[in-house]
Amino acid sequence: MSTHNEHPHSSCDHEHCDHDHGDDHEHEHGPLVELVTVRDWLRYAVTRFNRAGIFCGHGVNDAYDEAAWLLLGSLALPLDRLEPFLDACIPIEERIALLEAIERRATERVPTAYILGEAWLGDFRFTVDERVIVPRSFFAELLEDGLAGWIDEPEQIGSALDMCTGSGCLAVLMAHAFPDAAVTGADLSQDALDVALRNVADYGLGERIELVRSDVFSALEGRRYDLILSNPPYVTADAMDALPPEYLHEPHMALAAGDDGLDVVRRLIAEGAAHLNPNGLLAVEVGHNRDIVEHAFPNLPFNWLSTRGGDDMVFVLRREDLPGGQS
């Protein structure tokens, strides 16, 4: 059965949709008049994005997925149900907002997450704006099963630290993965912590997640954790110079990490043992920098994890393997 027949109240032909506005726009042209249904606007957005050469690196793979995300989010429709709404008519007021959003994405290269004010990691929604990077991390997948293979039982984790928490997304995921853990989210940016506070509150985790302003471990002296997890800045200077325009809307300090991308990673490794309990774990995401990391620390026994999104992007070290970890 066709979508049109299944959804008679949300579907219509263009002649019917434009009936109320036909007299006003009889001699007008352009997308606001000629594009009527979700299907029309989806096609227009995909073409607009392809011609503009947008870069899709914030949770989707191509211009089609980007267009679907932007349309469904803008229209407050379920992100996983495009099909039933394809032939639904869009009122002129909503078309105006859609056109503005599409143009921001195509011309200004603003990431869709910022336009919509939200981003997703799996089933978890987070409020975001340009005070934080758009949530994206291989840890989202690894935390689905609580770092299985490294942590036998989630209840083993009584304390956990999300270093460079940004929007607080990984702190929230850690709180769900380890139900008995007291979680700390640390970040140098007060702006980021303000966003994180909103996300922590949205999930009702204010009593379990503490947010601390800290330059890496500077404000955490004397505190130890069973697990330290970090998705720190790790973009090299050369890579920063070559970033697509979309990434330039994100906070520079959340991306750049010196010439070799290891400014924060070095501190995590150097100081990590002092902030881990016996048998504690340090897990760090470093993107495509495995060779750089191993060259910088040739004597450390890095364990590299595999995910659906890519291999060798995250390393794990036990406290005992870190500098000073035997003391």
Side-chain angles (χ1 to χ4, degrees):
M1 184 177 294
S2 71
T3 303
H4 179 86
N5 292 333
E6 289 176 356
H7 302 275
H9 299 295
S10 62
S11 305
C12 49
D13 58 32
H14 291 202
E15 180 181 357
H16 176 73
C17 282
D18 269 351
H19 179 75
D20 292 339
H21 303 281
D23 295 338
D24 295 338
H25 303 290
E26 185 176 358
H27 302 293
E28 295 183 24
H29 302 281
L32 290 179
V33 178
E34 297 169 354
L35 306 179
V36 178
T37 66
V38 172
R39 189 187 304 273
D40 294 338
W41 280 93
L42 178 65
R43 198 285 307 163
Y44 177 80
V46 173
T47 299
R48 186 74 183 88
F49 293 166
N50 281 330
R51 287 176 175 165
I54 69 166
F55 185 84
C56 301
H58 292 97
V60 298
N61 297 317
D62 54 36
Y64 173 85
D65 287 344
E66 190 95 34
W69 178 21
L70 182 58
L71 263 65
L72 290 169
S74 297
L75 296 171
L77 296 173
L79 296 185
D80 59 349
R81 297 183 193 174
L82 173 62
E83 189 68 28
F85 302 102
L86 280 172
D87 296 311
C89 303
I90 302 176
I92 190 67
E93 294 79 8
E94 288 185 309
R95 294 182 217 172
I96 293 170
L98 271 183
L99 184 60
E100 291 175 351
I102 291 168
E103 284 305 303
R104 285 191 72 200
R105 184 67 189 90
T107 303
E108 300 176 36
R109 304 290 286 271
V110 178
T112 294
Y114 290 153
I115 295 173
L116 298 177
E118 66 177 22
W120 294 78
L121 285 178
D123 294 332
F124 290 81
R125 176 201 175 279
F126 299 99
T127 293
V128 297
D129 58 35
E130 295 190 18
R131 292 175 290 176
V132 295
I133 62 170
V134 177
R136 53 189 183 275
S137 176
F138 297 101
F139 280 121
E141 176 186 338
L142 295 169
L143 288 171
E144 288 176 1
D145 57 8
L147 284 173
W150 289 92
I151 297 171
D152 295 332
E153 298 292 338
E155 293 74 17
Q156 287 179 246
I157 304 300
S159 56
L161 169 64
D162 174 22
M163 178 60 71
C164 306
T165 192
S167 63
C169 57
L170 295 184
V172 169
L173 295 187
M174 292 168 78
H176 282 84
F178 308 114
D180 293 336
V183 179
T184 301
D187 204 287
L188 177 58
S189 168
Q190 185 58 52
D191 282 344
L193 292 173
D194 290 343
V195 177
L197 185 63
R198 164 79 180 272
N199 287 314
V200 168
D202 284 348
Y203 282 95
L205 292 169
E207 294 187 1
R208 289 192 52 208
I209 298 178
E210 176 192 12
L211 298 173
V212 178
R213 187 177 186 188
S214 183
D215 183 359
V216 191
F217 294 109
S218 64
L220 301 172
E221 186 174 352
R223 300 179 63 169
R224 291 176 178 259
Y225 303 89
D226 297 324
L227 170 66
I228 298 174
L229 177 152
S230 184
N231 181 15
Y234 56 71
V235 183
T236 66
D238 287 344
M240 284 296 298
D241 290 339
L243 284 178
E246 280 80 357
Y247 293 104
L248 303 182
H249 291 274
E250 297 184 299
H252 183 273
M253 66 181 291
L255 298 172
D259 287 345
D260 63 0
L262 300 186
D263 281 4
V264 179
V265 174
R266 283 190 173 85
R267 296 179 62 184
L268 291 171
I269 289 174
E271 304 170 39
H275 295 277
L276 284 168
N277 291 321
N279 301 312
L281 297 175
L282 171 68
V284 182
E285 182 171 329
V286 294
H288 296 282
N289 291 350
R290 173 174 178 169
D291 290 345
I292 299 174
V293 171
E294 291 186 330
H295 178 75
F297 302 96
N299 297 320
L300 291 185
F302 292 102
N303 302 279
W304 295 94
L305 306 187
S306 296
T307 67
R308 296 186 298 270
D311 298 334
D312 301 343
M313 309 287 189
V314 174
F315 70 74
V316 175
L317 288 169
R318 298 186 184 279
R319 178 184 186 275
E320 289 70 26
D321 293 326
L322 287 165
Q326 298 292 338
S327 59

